[in-house]
Amino acid sequence: MKETSLDIKDLQLNALLEVTQAVNNNLPEDDLLKIYKFTLLADLKINKLALYTQQKGEWVCRVNFGTKNSLIGSPLPDKYKELKNQVGVTETSFDEFDSVFPVYHKNKLLSVVFIESESKLGVQNRFLNALTNIILVAIENKRLARQQMEQEAYRRELEIAKKVQNFLFPKELPKIERLQIEAFYLPHHDVGGDYYDYIQIDENKFLACIADVSGKGVPAALLMSNFQASLRALVRQTDNLLEIVTELNHSTFVSGNAENFITFFAGIYDFKTKELEYINCGHNEIILKHKDKIKLLNDGTTVLGMFDPLPFIETIRISNLDEFFLFTYTDGLTETFNEKDEAFEFERLIEILKEECPVDLSEFHNQILEALNAFKGNKPFHDDITMLSCRIQNK
């Protein structure tokens, strides 16, 4: 029995109602595409169809039926990515189809559809185009809404992480005759994974430290905030550096699920005994300058958070330190690259430190930054950069 225009309109109305209801029910993208497929088969009498959309930046077939071989996941030839109007199919690989048409929304190509249908009426193809547009615009709007929600969630996380990180660093650093401490911090992202601290233990002792967490952004900042809270709690209980680091490693191992690690350097100086006790936990080379001689403070243990218990651990004591300069930093400094992809490296840093001990620590940090900027040229920084300098005059 020959299909009438009235029959076709009834089928089109059914198809429109089914698709509209699916969209209004806010169904997931895959479910919308399934309903689209079955609607075309049942109501519009489409024999063969292949619908191509962008997925993760690639044009691939998302809906397909009626063809000898499945086209799902197959790439769209480049010639169809600039398609403006419905045209007949001439390409051999698509010779099962009568025609192909693009679906646009606000000048953006949403899909390319290959079809073969029982009906040769142009109105049927125009309706198919409209129906496809309804489904794909709904999917596009869902994608944009999801993207907006993700961006908003990340923005809120970022705000929280920024507030948390503001509490990480000490508000004031000592700048008196016998003790001067200066810090510089340049995050690569809005929030970073570097940390430094100064903690007064008693009237004779203080702890200075610097750390760098693996990873960047919000997760790194939150892990480092846990680390800082643990450190400050431990220092209130004991000044035993071995115990402090052992507990820090355990808490980092638990909170980081052994997937993230922290490099850490800490030193405790006693003005009364003129002794520095330090530990280097997989951090880069820390520089001690005493009586015009440079000593590298590298001993201690491995990074924190990867092994529990630590495979080895020791603290080192250096005696008879009355006047000295201590320079700590994170690897973003020495791993700054220039336009030739050469790293700044430790050797260039040492050359700067071979000069006399700096009197103005802020000016000294600026000197290093000027050297970094001159070295890197137009190459951007690719990591957080942190410096903590300490000058002791314990006469």
Side-chain angles (χ1 to χ4, degrees):
M1 181 177 174
K2 188 175 180 180
E3 210 171 45
T4 66
S5 296
L6 186 58
D7 293 330
I8 293 173
K9 287 186 179 297
D10 285 342
L11 291 172
Q12 289 177 348
L13 181 59
N14 287 336
L16 184 61
L17 288 173
E18 288 178 19
V19 167
T20 303
Q21 186 177 18
V23 170
N24 289 339
N25 287 337
N26 199 27
L27 295 179
E29 180 177 334
D30 288 342
D31 289 349
L32 287 177
L33 290 176
K34 286 178 183 177
I35 290 172
Y36 171 75
K37 172 182 177 179
F38 292 123
T39 299
L40 299 187
L41 280 168
D43 295 335
L44 296 189
K45 309 302 181 185
I46 304 296
N47 294 329
K48 298 177 182 180
L49 178 137
L51 179 142
Y52 286 80
T53 67
Q54 272 195 315
Q55 191 174 39
K56 295 180 180 179
E58 300 292 332
W59 281 92
V60 294
C61 182
R62 302 286 304 284
V63 178
N64 174 229
F65 58 82
T67 54
K68 295 176 183 177
N69 299 309
S70 174
L71 297 174
I72 296 294
S74 64
L76 178 69
D78 289 340
K79 63 179 290 186
Y80 295 109
K81 295 175 185 176
E82 304 294 333
L83 194 64
K84 299 298 181 184
N85 301 294
Q86 181 168 333
V87 296
V89 176
T90 57
E91 193 166 350
T92 305
S93 57
F94 292 97
D95 59 5
E96 294 185 65
F97 301 102
D98 296 325
S99 60
V100 55
F101 64 87
V103 176
Y104 280 88
H105 178 63
K106 295 181 180 178
N107 297 320
K108 180 180 179 180
L109 181 62
L110 296 183
S111 72
V112 175
V113 185
F114 295 84
I115 60 167
E116 180 192 279
S117 65
E118 294 178 8
S119 173
K120 303 300 180 183
L121 296 174
V123 67
Q124 179 80 326
N125 287 351
R126 288 197 297 274
F127 183 79
L128 174 60
N129 190 317
L131 196 68
T132 306
N133 189 280
I134 290 172
I135 283 285
L136 292 176
V137 168
I139 290 174
E140 177 72 3
N141 288 338
K142 286 171 69 69
R143 184 190 67 80
L144 292 174
R146 185 170 61 250
Q147 186 180 62
Q148 187 175 8
M149 289 176 62
E150 289 172 352
Q151 289 174 345
E152 179 62 21
Y154 179 75
R155 186 188 65 78
R156 288 197 298 268
E157 284 184 3
L158 202 60
E159 286 181 358
I160 293 170
K162 282 182 178 178
K163 289 178 181 178
V164 169
Q165 193 171 45
N166 285 337
F167 291 105
L168 285 182
F169 305 118
K171 298 302 180 186
E172 293 182 0
L173 294 172
K175 292 177 174 60
I176 57 178
E177 185 177 352
R178 72 172 187 169
L179 174 61
Q180 294 181 46
I181 296 182
E182 186 74 36
F184 172 85
Y185 174 58
L186 177 67
H188 177 240
H189 296 277
D190 290 325
V191 291
D194 285 4
Y195 161 63
Y196 66 85
D197 212 341
Y198 161 81
I199 305 172
Q200 188 74 40
I201 298 173
D202 58 35
E203 61 179 11
N204 291 315
K205 293 181 182 178
F206 72 88
L207 178 144
C209 67
I210 193 165
D212 187 0
V213 65
S214 62
K216 303 299 172 191
V218 175
L222 294 179
L223 179 60
M224 194 59 85
S225 70
N226 289 334
F227 184 84
Q228 186 250 25
S230 298
L231 172 62
R232 285 186 164 257
L234 287 165
V235 172
R236 284 197 297 268
Q237 299 170 21
T238 178
D239 62 359
N240 186 309
L241 198 50
L242 208 62
E243 291 181 10
I244 291 171
V245 170
T246 300
E247 288 302 317
L248 283 175
N249 177 69
H250 176 71
S251 63
T252 305
F253 182 85
V254 172
S255 59
N257 297 316
E259 295 176 356
N260 296 92
F261 62 86
I262 294 177
T263 67
F264 178 61
F265 172 88
I268 294 178
Y269 182 73
D270 189 330
F271 280 97
K272 188 174 182 180
T273 63
K274 298 184 178 181
E275 184 177 70
L276 174 69
E277 181 184 17
Y278 82 86
I279 187 167
N280 190 323
C281 308
H283 202 74
N284 29 268
E285 295 176 302
I286 300 303
I287 300 166
L288 173 70
K289 192 168 185 180
H290 178 230
K291 295 182 178 179
D292 295 326
K293 292 183 179 180
I294 288 178
K295 181 178 178 63
L296 303 182
L297 310 186
N298 296 326
D299 299 316
T301 186
T302 186
V303 298
L304 304 183
M306 292 299 290
F307 308 98
D308 191 28
L310 288 163
F312 61 92
I313 183 171
E314 65 173 334
T315 63
I316 292 82
R317 294 178 182 271
I318 305 174
S319 302
N320 301 316
L321 289 177
D322 48 11
E323 295 187 30
F324 66 92
F325 171 69
L326 182 70
F327 181 70
T328 72
Y329 60 97
T330 56
D331 58 11
L333 193 160
T334 50
E335 293 179 6
T336 294
F337 289 87
N338 63 14
E339 294 169 350
K340 298 178 181 178
D341 282 332
E342 299 169 333
F344 187 76
E345 295 184 342
F346 183 72
E347 288 70 21
R348 290 184 175 86
L349 179 61
I350 280 291
E351 286 300 315
I352 298 173
L353 287 161
K354 281 182 178 178
E355 300 174 11
E356 292 184 6
C357 284
V359 175
D360 187 324
L361 299 185
S362 178
E363 186 179 320
F364 172 68
H365 287 173
N366 287 333
Q367 181 185 353
I368 292 178
L369 284 173
E370 288 174 5
L372 277 179
N373 284 314
F375 173 78
K376 75 179 185 66
N378 294 321
K379 192 90 167 181
F381 291 113
H382 77 288
D383 198 0
D384 307 333
I385 294 177
T386 304
M387 296 181 282
L388 181 74
S389 292
C390 177
R391 189 165 185 260
I392 301 290
Q393 296 183 85
N394 185 21
K395 300 176 181 179

